[in-house]
């Protein structure tokens, strides 16, 4: 096959070339048009990214990728365990899992508990670069910490790399949601030159993408959980953003300053409304609030919008809704949403 040219790109490897800061917007538009090639990865090339597409995307520059990167086809866990489990047990095997660094996190049906070690070993066979498998039971407690058990391997500390950001974490002790990737990428395009307050910073989920890709003047990252705070400090140093991100170990209800922020990130869910007035008080007039919350699907986005309007009104301030985003499905009939609002 002859080498493709810019005018006649190879149709097998079509991609949109976008500036890195425009990646999120371009990816959202391409996905909405149904043109995203999900078999290939988004690739960074210097100051640009290449977004794989199945056909020309109107309004975007189309190139032919010289070195496309493909996703590995998800392994068939059922096939690898066939003959070791009963047919009815095969039907209960997990259909999905996610990988943090070199640790696999998976939910397992209670009826398969006697076989969890075998399932763990099978997953490690599927992913030779991984070192451990954790069974996930959900989250609990005031710090919303994961409840997880090692079923294969011994290592739980890992290094997860994503969108040019390095995250050190212990997958057994702190949360890291794979479903929030697009929101973390979006945050990496916001806040340039601003004073930002991240009220539930965790290990730096949103602070670090901002600091690495769109440097604010200052980020005040507040975290109450000592385990998460330990990794927050480590990640700030690892990503070399010590001059931008200031970590604070404390309760954001007490540690959040008033009237100083151009932007406030409230990246917690379920209990976030209890801190909403505090987040609004932190903002200067005209500042932007990112309010994360879980809402029933049937009440999206009205419930979260109402939370903001009522909290602002109680403080004698106005609010303008800029954007409502469905981050992911949280549970049956419930969404994790984020609402962007300008607070006057």
């Amino acid at each position: 096959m002859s080498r493709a040219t810019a005018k006649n790109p190879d149709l097998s490897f079509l991609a949109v070339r976008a500036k890195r800061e425009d990646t999120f917007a371009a990816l959202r538009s391409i996905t909405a048009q149904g043109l995203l090639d999900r078999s290939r990865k988004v690739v960074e090339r210097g100051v640009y990214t290449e977004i794989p597409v199945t056909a020309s995307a109107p309004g975007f520059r189309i190139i032919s990728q010289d070195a496309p990167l493909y996703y590995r086809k998800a392994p068939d866990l059922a096939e690898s365990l066939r003959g070791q489990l009963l047919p009815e047990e095969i039907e209960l095997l997990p259909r999905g899992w996610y990988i943090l660094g070199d640790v696999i996190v998976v939910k397992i049906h209670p009826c398969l508990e006697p076989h969890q070690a075998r399932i763990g070993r099978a997953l490690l066979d599927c992913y030779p670069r991984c070192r451990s498998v954790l069974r996930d039971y959900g989250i609990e407690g005031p710090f919303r910490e994961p409840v997880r058990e090692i079923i294969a391997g011994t290592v739980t500390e890992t290094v997860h790399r994503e969108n040019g950001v390095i995250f050190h974490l212990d997958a057994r002790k702190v949360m890291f949601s794979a479903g929030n990737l697009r929101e973390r990428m979006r945050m990496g395009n916001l806040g340039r030159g601003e004073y930002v307050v991240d009220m539930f910073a965790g290990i730096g989920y949103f602070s670090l993408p901002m600091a690495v890709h769109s440097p604010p003047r200052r980020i005040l990252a507040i975290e109450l959980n000592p385990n998460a705070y330990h990794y927050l400090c480590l990640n700030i140093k690892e990503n070399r953003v010590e001059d931008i991100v200031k970590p604070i170990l404390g309760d954001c209800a007490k540690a959040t300053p008033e009237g100083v922020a151009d932007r406030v990130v409230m990246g917690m869910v379920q209990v976030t409304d209890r801190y909403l007035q505090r987040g609004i008080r932190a903002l200067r007039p005209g500042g932007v609030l990112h309010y994360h919350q879980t809402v029933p699907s049937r009440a999206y986005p009205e419930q979260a919008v109402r939370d903001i309007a009522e909290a602002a009104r109680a403080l004698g301030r106005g609010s303008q809704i800029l954007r409502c985003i469905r981050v992911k499905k949280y549970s049956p009939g419930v969404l994790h949403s984020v609402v962007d609002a300008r607070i006057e």
Side-chain angles (χ1 to χ4, degrees):
M1 181 180 295
S2 61
R3 182 177 178 83
T5 67
K7 292 183 178 180
N8 299 290
D10 185 335
L11 295 180
S12 300
F13 306 130
L14 285 180
V16 163
R17 172 173 284 177
K19 291 184 178 179
R20 191 166 60 185
E21 60 268 23
D22 298 332
T23 300
F24 179 81
L27 187 58
R28 185 175 56 189
S29 174
I30 291 164
T31 302
Q33 296 178 62
L35 298 176
L36 182 66
D37 183 349
R38 299 182 183 276
S39 69
R40 286 181 284 151
K41 298 180 180 181
V42 175
V43 180
E44 289 190 7
R45 311 277 191 201
V47 297
Y48 294 98
T49 55
E50 297 175 3
I51 304 172
V53 291
T54 56
S56 293
F60 292 102
R61 181 186 176 189
I62 302 296
I63 65 166
S64 176
Q65 286 188 300
D66 288 332
L69 297 180
Y70 287 87
Y71 287 105
R72 177 179 175 179
K73 184 179 180 181
D76 190 336
L77 187 61
E79 187 61 34
S80 65
L81 289 170
R82 202 170 303 280
Q84 301 181 52
L85 303 180
L86 297 173
E88 56 268 30
E89 293 171 330
I90 291 289
E91 292 300 313
L92 297 178
L93 283 170
R95 298 293 189 266
W97 43 85
Y98 62 94
I99 298 174
L100 297 176
D102 53 11
V103 174
I104 303 169
V105 180
V106 62
K107 290 184 180 291
I108 295 176
H109 194 283
C111 292
L112 295 178
E113 186 161 340
H115 305 292
Q116 65 180 19
R118 180 176 291 151
I119 294 169
R121 289 193 298 270
L123 283 170
L124 288 182
D125 288 342
C126 293
Y127 298 95
R129 74 174 184 84
C130 290
R131 296 188 293 165
S132 293
V133 180
L134 299 183
R135 181 181 177 183
D136 187 21
Y137 294 92
I139 55 177
E140 67 176 23
F143 291 148
R144 295 180 54 77
E145 293 178 304
V147 181
R148 291 171 180 163
E149 173 188 6
I150 299 176
I151 60 173
T154 58
V155 176
T156 60
E157 272 200 312
T158 189
V159 181
H160 183 69
R161 291 174 172 82
E162 174 186 282
N163 190 31
V165 181
I166 300 170
F167 293 97
H168 288 260
L169 69 144
D170 187 326
R172 191 171 55 175
K173 295 181 179 178
V174 299
M175 286 299 299
F176 193 101
S177 175
N180 295 354
L181 170 59
R182 288 189 181 179
E183 187 62 15
R184 288 191 292 272
M185 290 180 65
R186 184 172 80 100
M187 288 294 105
N189 295 324
L190 302 176
R192 185 174 299 276
E194 297 179 348
Y195 189 111
V196 178
V197 175
D198 186 354
M199 292 178 62
F200 307 93
I203 65 171
Y205 311 110
F206 300 125
S207 290
L208 292 175
M210 277 188 177
V212 170
H213 294 304
S214 184
R217 173 168 47 91
R218 190 62 155 170
I219 302 177
L220 197 65
I222 306 169
E223 177 52 43
L224 181 60
N225 183 339
N227 286 325
Y229 179 77
H230 164 74
Y231 289 104
L232 172 63
C233 294
L234 178 59
N235 291 331
I236 291 169
K237 182 177 180 180
E238 186 71 17
N239 287 279
R240 300 181 181 179
V241 291
E242 300 100 316
D243 57 336
I244 298 173
V245 186
K246 178 182 179 182
I248 293 180
L249 177 62
D251 186 346
C252 64
K254 301 176 182 178
T256 303
E258 293 193 12
V260 299
D262 302 297
R263 189 176 301 270
V264 169
V265 181
M266 303 185 71
M268 180 72 82
V269 294
Q270 293 191 306
V271 300
T272 330
D273 55 309
R274 303 177 194 174
Y275 302 87
L276 192 46
Q277 289 192 17
R278 189 74 191 188
I280 291 173
R281 286 196 188 102
L283 286 164
R284 298 172 177 172
V288 174
L289 179 77
H290 301 283
Y291 174 58
H292 290 244
Q293 186 57 292
T294 47
V295 297
S297 302
R298 65 180 183 280
Y300 170 84
E302 293 80 13
Q303 182 173 307
V305 168
R306 186 169 58 249
D307 286 349
I308 295 173
E310 291 177 353
R313 192 180 305 118
L315 295 172
R317 302 181 69 170
S319 59
Q320 175 192 0
I321 302 304
L322 303 176
R323 180 178 295 174
C324 301
I325 297 174
R326 297 170 183 255
V327 177
K328 64 180 179 181
K329 179 180 177 181
Y330 185 80
S331 61
V334 178
L335 292 174
H336 173 176
S337 69
V338 58
V339 177
D340 299 350
R342 190 175 305 282
I343 305 298
E344 304 303 333

